[in-house]
Structures are given as C-alpha cells and as structure tokens.
Amino acid sequence: MTKAPLRVTITGAAGQIGYALLPRIASGQMFGPDQPVILQLLEIPVEKVMTALNGVAMELEDCAFPLLQDMVLTSEPDVAFKDANWCLLVGSKPRGPGMERGDLIRENGPIFTGQGRAINDHAASDVRVAVVGNPCNTNCLIAMNSAPDIPDERFSAMTRLDQNRAQAQLAAKAGVHTSAVKNTLIWGNHSATQVPDFVHATINGKSAAEVINDNDWLTTTFFETVQKRGAAIIAARGLSSAASAANGLIDHVRDLCNATPDGEWRSVCVKSDGSYGVPEGLISSFPVRADGKGGWEIVQGLELTPFLAEKLALSAAELSGERETVSGLLT
Ligand code: NAX
C-alpha cells in the first residue's frame, strides 16, 4: 500500500544548503525509498529570492522524482508549516563583515521565535524540528521555547556534519576507510568550542586513541581541524559548506527516525537534562540513541578524560552565555 505523503518544511530553501538538500529529500534519501513527500519551501519575501526559489522548484519538477507529490512555495511561515511532519530550519541571516557572534545571535534569534510559534500553531501533531541555521543550538532553544504545545524532545540541532568530519579525519590518520571508524562524537556547542571526542571512538572495534597512538595529534591537530573545518571550507571554496551540510542533515534526520545499531550512538544536539555537567535546558550535542519509534535517549555513563571534561565545560559555558544573550526571546 502506498504510504501517505510526509509534509517536510524547509526554510531558507533557495539558499545553498537548500539547493543541495532538496533533491536528496525528493529522491527518498532522507525518509526512505517508499515514502512520498510534499516539500513546503519557505523563503524571505524578497522578489529576487522568491524568483530564485521558483527556479529551484522548476529544477525539482524537471527531475520527475517519483516520490515528490507536491511543492508549496511561500514566504509566509503559517503556510509553510501547515500540517508539517518535519521542519528543517536551515534559513537564517549569514554573518556579515565585522559582525560578532553575539550580533549574529541577536539578529537571527527573532526568526526562530516567529517560526517556533508558527510551528506550534500550524504543524502536524507529530511534528519534529531540526535546526541547522546558525547559531543552531541557541536558535533551536528559541524555537523550542516559542512552541510550548510541542514536547521539547521533538526539537534538535545538527552536529552530524561535525561528527562526519571527525570520522573522516580519524580514518585518514589511521589509513582506514571511514566505515572502519565508529562512535565518533561531538559534545557541546556547534561552534569553534565544540568538543570532538577521540576517546570513545573506535577503529575496527579497537580504541581509536590506541590505534592512532599519538596523543599530541589527537589533542591538537585532530581537535582543531574538526573545530575549524567550517572556516577551512570557506577559505578554500569562498562559500560555506553546503553539500556536506545537506548530507549531515540527511544523516541527522535518519539517525532520529531509525533505531541506532546496538553499541553505537550519534551526535545530536538535544535539550540537556544536566547529563555530563551541561546545565539543564541548554541545547547541547550529546551521544544519543534513537529507538526507531520517535524516542531517543542521551547515552549515560561515558567517562570523560580531564582534557575532554575541561573542553566540554568551556563549550557549555559558551552555550549558557548564548542563552543569556537571547534571554529576552525565551518565554
Ligand atoms: P545561504 O545564505 O545560502 O541561504 C540561507 C537562506 O535562508 C537564504 O536564501 C535566505 O534568504 C534564507 N532566509 C533568511 N532568513 C530567512 C527566514 N526568516 N525565513 C526563511 N528563509 C530565510 O546559507 P546556507 O549556506 O544555505 O546556510 C544556511 C545556514 O546553515 C546558515 O545559518 C549557516 O551558518 C548554517 N550552517 C550550519 C551548519 C551546521 O552544521 N549546523 C553547517 C553549514 C552551515 O554553515
């Protein structure tokens, strides 16, 4: 029997991540090869941008995807989030010249109060929300707080791209295929303070730290390469990560929809319950296991080395500072 279509809202759909993401959703890579989708595409009410969005929709049409049932193109959040089952909040303003991180947070915060409210009032009763637009952790916190009728556990933000980056770096150093590397993990904020964990990662089932056997490299080169990879892509490409970010989001949603294999976890930014010393209520990256039925839990009992614990405390302090900056937007 044909499944009912899922309504998937993507904000910032005319942006570069949107361009890399939409064909992958429409071809079944996010929700599976038998799951029809309706794409509800939100952009800003600027003629040039809406015309570009129309061009993206024309290309999707020209792909004649069997699973793509319909598209809605709009600049109205209430229309975009109507009956949505998944909301992928990608759109936000980029950091301009001379702008500090705090300015970016203040600029983008209000977008997420409005969208959170619109999701609360118009989305489907089973809606789930994934935030990519930066600063994604704190934007997620704002959207979650603006949607009081939706359970907090339906909100997440993305560090799956960072996890994938860490996995690739460990594989390259060990001279193995990425598939040999498991349980790479990001803790904390999706920012330059993020904490790529090399202690719990494995390579062919053995401790990655033991296989690589180079603590200096792990605590400096590996750590900083992952933390600063976004900036390195901008320096090389002149544009921020898009294909890999879209790929990270495909992985992120699949991670939350499907049961996590035994003995494994995935990096997901979710609401902290105080685990690992991260203050309660912050949206922080943790090791997460999903049950395949919509539920998930933070993996407990991992031991953090003093090095990782210190770095996580710094990242959590940054998240607390961000929460303070947007306190006026939190209801
Ligand atoms: P682009 O500037 O190419 O596209 C963003 C789009 O969002 C634009 O088309 C813009 O018109 C739209 N937009 C802005 N305000 C909006 C609003 N209120 N409602 C709907 N649409 C709105 O950026 P892109 O490269 O696609 O990146 C999008 C976001 O992802 C940025 O905030 C970026 O920093 C963030 N990223 C997050 C990553 C993560 O791992 N969490 C990694 C990649 C990326 O840097």
Side-chain angles (χ1 to χ4, degrees):
M1 203 179 74
T2 316
K3 289 182 174 176
L6 272 183
R7 289 183 177 270
V8 186
T9 302
I10 298 102
T11 73
Q16 48 152 7
I17 294 177
Y19 190 73
L21 179 66
L22 298 177
R24 296 194 59 185
I25 302 176
S27 63
Q29 293 180 54
M30 186 175 267
F31 297 105
D34 61 346
Q35 177 59 63
V37 289
I38 295 172
L39 298 181
Q40 309 194 152
L41 310 177
L42 181 69
E43 262 296 349
I44 50 173
V46 171
E47 196 184 339
K48 195 170 147 219
V49 177
M50 292 309 288
T51 303
L53 181 62
N54 195 43
V56 175
M58 286 160 69
E59 283 208 56
L60 289 168
E61 225 173 85
D62 294 347
C63 294
F65 287 120
L67 293 172
L68 182 56
Q69 298 242 317
D70 201 0
M71 283 184 276
V72 176
L73 279 58
T74 181
S75 58
E76 298 284 337
D78 295 3
V79 175
F81 294 118
K82 178 104 180 73
D83 299 328
N85 305 104
W86 269 94
C87 301
L88 310 176
L89 308 188
V90 178
S92 62
K93 290 183 201 161
R95 194 156 160 173
M99 232 171 140
E100 297 297 325
R101 193 173 166 83
D103 299 331
L104 182 75
I105 293 170
R106 274 185 290 272
E107 279 272 319
N108 279 325
I111 297 175
F112 293 84
T113 45
Q115 293 184 355
R117 265 186 227 125
I119 293 169
N120 189 71
D121 295 347
H122 299 285
S125 59
D126 66 350
V127 67
R128 300 182 78 176
V129 182
V131 182
V132 174
N134 277 325
C136 64
N137 298 58
T138 296
N139 289 340
C140 180
L141 179 72
I142 296 169
M144 184 180 82
N145 273 276
S146 305
D149 301 335
I150 299 170
D152 290 350
E153 60 270 19
R154 307 266 195 86
F155 286 80
S156 62
M158 181 172 98
T159 40
R160 186 52 147 91
L161 169 56
D162 308 290
Q163 177 192 310
N164 289 346
R165 288 167 171 166
Q167 184 177 350
Q169 292 300 318
L170 291 176
K173 177 74 174 172
V176 299
H177 188 259
T178 47
S179 58
V181 183
K182 301 249 192 261
N183 283 351
T184 46
L185 170 59
I186 305 295
W187 301 89
N189 200 1
H190 166 73
S191 74
T193 70
Q194 67 180 261
V195 185
D197 181 336
F198 46 82
V199 173
H200 297 98
T202 60
I203 297 177
N204 288 320
K206 296 188 196 119
S207 154
E210 279 171 30
V211 172
I212 287 174
N213 194 24
D214 184 346
N215 199 49
D216 266 2
W217 181 85
L218 288 167
T219 53
T220 55
T221 309
F222 166 72
F223 216 77
E224 289 165 19
T225 301
V226 177
Q227 286 181 325
K228 296 180 186 161
R229 186 68 165 182
I233 301 285
I234 294 174
R237 217 171 75 85
L239 287 167
S240 57
S241 320
S244 57
N247 183 68
L249 186 54
I250 303 266
D251 286 344
H252 173 99
V253 171
R254 282 173 26 188
D255 289 344
L256 287 170
C257 290
N258 301 302
T260 314
D262 283 348
E264 295 187 21
W265 54 69
R266 303 288 183 261
S267 307
V268 187
C269 302
V270 292
K271 183 179 164 185
S272 175
D273 57 359
S275 294
Y276 299 100
V278 177
E280 231 176 303
L282 294 174
I283 301 289
S284 169
S285 189
F286 285 108
V288 163
R289 286 184 52 78
D291 63 11
K293 297 179 210 138
W296 54 260
E297 60 180 14
I298 296 173
V299 174
Q300 297 297 323
L302 298 185
E303 208 163 309
L304 290 174
T305 59
F307 176 83
L308 290 180
E310 186 194 324
K311 298 287 184 193
L312 177 55
L314 284 175
S315 198
E318 181 182 53
L319 283 170
S320 294
E322 290 184 12
R323 177 164 65 181
E324 194 51 43
T325 304
V326 300
S327 56
L329 299 176
L330 303 175
T331 45

